[in-house]
Amino acid sequence: MLIQRAALLDGRTVDVRVEETVTAVGPNLSARSGEDVLDARGGLVLPGLHDHHVHLLATAAALDSVRVGPPRSRSEFAAALQQAPVDADGWVRAVGYHDSVAGPLDRAVLDALVPDRPVRVQHRSGAMWVLNSAALARVGLGEDTDGRLFRTDSLAAWPRRVPALGPLSAVLTSYGVTGLTEATPGQSRADLEKLAAARRSGQLRQRLHCMAPPEVGEVPGVTLGATKVILDDPTLDLDALTEWVRRCHDGGRPVAVHCVTDSQLVVALAALRAARTRRGDRIEHAAVVPPDLLGDLAELGVTVVTQPNFVAERGDEYLDDVPAEQLPDLWRVATLVNAGVAVALSTDTPFGAADPWAAMRAAVRRQTPAGAILGEAERVSPRAALTMFLGHASDPARPRAVAVGEAGDLVMLSAGPQEALNALTAEMVSATIIGGELVTQ
């Protein structure tokens, strides 16, 4: 394929020949016999976007789930559950709930709304499901629980149907996303082989980089990255975490440590310091970064993969719920970069919206849904925000370029560079190319 009149971020306007890799970049390249030709007409052409932290199967399942999070009201929440169809597993599956909708949930609340069908409602953090009595019976739990199940996706009786990935893949290609880092912890080789099979079949078009424990060997069709651990404040254990980091490093894997509180970040950094960091070590989210930890992050050389989109999606609730003195610490971006920390962006879909362009705008504007500015000092330029979605899968803060030898994964925009940077919107995506193949136009 030959792309003509492509504007690049470096200011050049060139032609680009792309196969499995980019094979030529320069002015006035001649089309070969039988070669497909796309005219970019001066539109910006970029390396395909890479979302550096997603939960693929959960996102695919969420497309078929009932959304019950803000801004729904109590009455809308009740109606949504009562009118929802059961899914292919025989459940009513609802996602995105927050207590601001209808207060704390438990089995009694759900039983009053839907007594006759199994219902499970996921808190928007992803850490907790709330089940009604019919659902609890289905997973073999009795009357001794209030229905609030914390980090229990591993229950043996939990539905295990693999959702179709084709519809999600199509949405992502419309955004110009050509690569994904699957960040669900604890996945087995069998889990990853199912994802690889979806790629081989063409159901999932994006390249896939998967977090996995050291014992998972090579899986054809996907690449393997860091091993992930989720920290929770009540169970923080520095010695255990340090030993886990050492085991992962000894097994040849970097680590990715989920940190959404300052306490978790303190313990994570202490463990990384004690175990000694390895190239590729990451902090996931870094939702709260006190100023006195900026130097530690920079010194240890870890990459922070963060999600400023939550400011745009949840910022008003942060303003209500988070102590005023901690608000400047939320979802830092600019301060991290200025401190010398390697930073990449992601959406954390389905817990955040899957549109990376919306995440870029959030990093630039820091505007809550009601229009308040949250963390003005953390704003970055449009170009910086865009670049943070262009990183290599194994090195998220090192941006790719439209250059000979790079993967043939490109996104073509209908707008020129300055207009594109001003807008940062998915509506500009006119073509997505993966491995030299036109996936959407």
Side-chain angles (χ1 to χ4, degrees), residues 81-84 86 90-92 107-119 132-138:
L81 289 184
Q82 292 162 354
Q83 297 167 13
V86 297
W91 294 70
V92 172
R107 73 187 295 170
V109 173
L110 294 182
D111 284 349
L113 295 175
V114 187
D116 55 342
R117 294 178 295 164
V119 173
N132 70 351
S133 293
L136 288 166
R138 181 165 290 198

Side-chain angles (χ1 to χ4, degrees), residues 78-130:
L81 289 184
Q82 292 162 354
Q83 297 167 13
V86 297
D87 62 18
D89 297 311
W91 294 70
V92 172
R93 187 183 194 275
V95 296
Y97 187 79
H98 183 262
D99 289 359
S100 61
V101 172
L105 293 185
D106 59 20
R107 73 187 295 170
V109 173
L110 294 182
D111 284 349
L113 295 175
V114 187
D116 55 342
R117 294 178 295 164
V119 173
R120 54 177 170 146
V121 179
Q122 188 181 43
H123 189 271
R124 72 177 185 187
S125 67
M128 182 177 70
W129 288 91
V130 184

